[in-house]
Amino acid sequence: MRLFYIVFFLMACFLLTPTDSNSLSGSHISFSSTEMARGDIILLSIKAGMEEGPRVIWMEKEISLFFNRDRSLWQGFLAADLNSTLGKYKAIIQMPLSDFEKDYYIQVVDKDYGVRNLTLPKEKVELGKESLNRVEKESAEVNALWEADITLPKWSSAFIMPVDGDIVGPFGKRSVINNLERSPHTGVDLRAGTGDPVKSTNNGKAILVADHFFTGNSVFLDHGGGIISMYFHLDKILVKAGDTVEKGQVIGLAGSTGRATGPHLHWGVRINGSRVNPLTLVDISKGLEE
Ligand SMILES: [Zn+2]
């Protein structure tokens, strides 16, 4: 009988624990999930004093943590790129002061984001030499952003939606044009009319403001801690490169510049270079305030 109660108690504990957590003397480590899809994000929380200064290595890169003084909590995001190879990945957590080091394993699983099949006239798909050169130059300019040094987190609270519109183009959808696989949709398309204000998802700094072939008037914001957000097809840009922006600040007006079929906002987010679903960041970052 007693054994039954112990087993029952252990089962109840297991069932009632929503996240995988781990305790050590005075500290507590928890992940919002132990499994994630490609393009997904996990919130990591470490209950530890400021002096602990934990270090986290995820997919062989150090991730930035934000320290919440009131809650004595270190928090950061583990991201898996939309195209990451499926499998188990290691997160190493170190706390030098307590001489603590432990490996945690997160499973990256497959997710079917759907396919869009399109048949278009050849001249609409194949770019001329001049356009190709331009696209190459512009993608080098953008790729350099992912290589830049990571600055300290400028965010301390949840990320917000840049516009209120519905999703008109979901994240991750693959495009097959004339039977050829093209790059997947690495952001989310949100309904927005020409001239609708577009807000910064969080505090940050404009690191690139440009008019690009595919993405039209584009703004890239660095939020620190390895998080960069981007806003495409804008009708007007209201910030300059180097400007500091606040969460909720209008950084531009929605439009249909570049290769867009109509006015909308394409919104993308990278975390440590990984292409992730921006809506997941909005959702999961609520955990910074709970
Ligand atoms: Zn888009």
Side-chain angles (χ1 to χ4, degrees), residues 169 185-190 232-233 264-267:
H185 195 219
T186 54
V188 63
D189 291 339
L190 300 169
F232 296 160
H233 310 301
H264 72 278
L265 175 71
H266 172 104
W267 182 37

